[in-house]
Amino acid sequence: MTALANLQAPSLDDFEALAQDAYARLPEEFRALCEGVVIRVEDFPDDETMREMGCETPFDLLGLFRGIGLAQGGAMMQTGQFPNMVWLYRRPILDYWAEHEETLGHIVTHVLVHEIGHHFGLSDEDMEAIEAAAG
């Protein structure tokens, strides 16, 4: 129990490493389709995102995909277009983790797969299969 007394909450850098590890464990064919998707980690969504998503508190959103997904013709970037991006929000994810009996790595993988799944227009069942393959 004394080992727990010295633990600190994972930093933004720690979350970045968790996200990169989760991404590396995704099936190769899925990752190949993700070329150009940028993964960002922030503590919370910004005010504009909170308004757009109808969030009551900054803890309402665990992650977000922004861009033009493949399902909407986003396979080719247009001049001046920002890259497709996935945001993972550290503090809401930590809050969720504290209230559920899942590992932090599992939650990060789940949010990452769910948000990238929007990029492809995947069903919940497809995303669950990809998440299971990431183990």
Side-chain angles (χ1 to χ4, degrees):
M1 194 61 137
T2 57
L4 292 176
N6 296 321
L7 289 180
Q8 295 181 351
S11 68
L12 287 170
D13 288 340
D14 295 334
F15 255 73
E16 185 77 34
L18 278 170
Q20 294 306 319
D21 180 61
Y23 182 81
R25 287 184 287 109
L26 297 176
E28 186 176 333
E29 58 275 7
F30 183 71
R31 282 180 308 176
L33 296 172
C34 294
E35 187 174 341
V37 173
V38 176
I39 300 169
R40 300 261 326 254
V41 178
E42 300 286 341
D43 271 326
F44 290 107
D46 61 27
D47 291 338
E48 178 183 347
T49 299
M50 287 189 49
R51 277 192 303 279
E52 286 177 19
M53 301 305 294
C55 298
E56 292 181 21
T57 77
F59 289 92
D60 290 346
L61 197 59
L62 303 181
L64 180 68
F65 170 81
R66 280 210 190 267
I68 301 172
L70 294 177
Q72 292 80 35
M76 297 186 61
M77 282 192 59
Q78 304 296 315
T79 303
Q81 177 183 329
F82 287 106
N84 290 330
M85 299 182 79
V86 171
W87 273 268
L88 300 176
Y89 299 117
R90 183 182 79 97
R91 295 281 308 278
I93 290 172
L94 288 175
D95 189 62
Y96 180 91
W97 177 48
E99 295 186 10
H100 294 83
E101 293 187 18
E102 300 174 57
T103 67
L104 184 55
H106 173 80
I107 295 166
V108 169
T109 299
H110 174 79
V111 174
L112 183 64
V113 168
H114 183 81
E115 298 308 330
I116 291 174
H118 288 305
H119 174 61
F120 296 119
L122 299 178
S123 69
D124 286 339
E125 292 80 24
D126 291 336
M127 288 187 267
E128 286 173 16
I130 291 165
E131 195 174 332

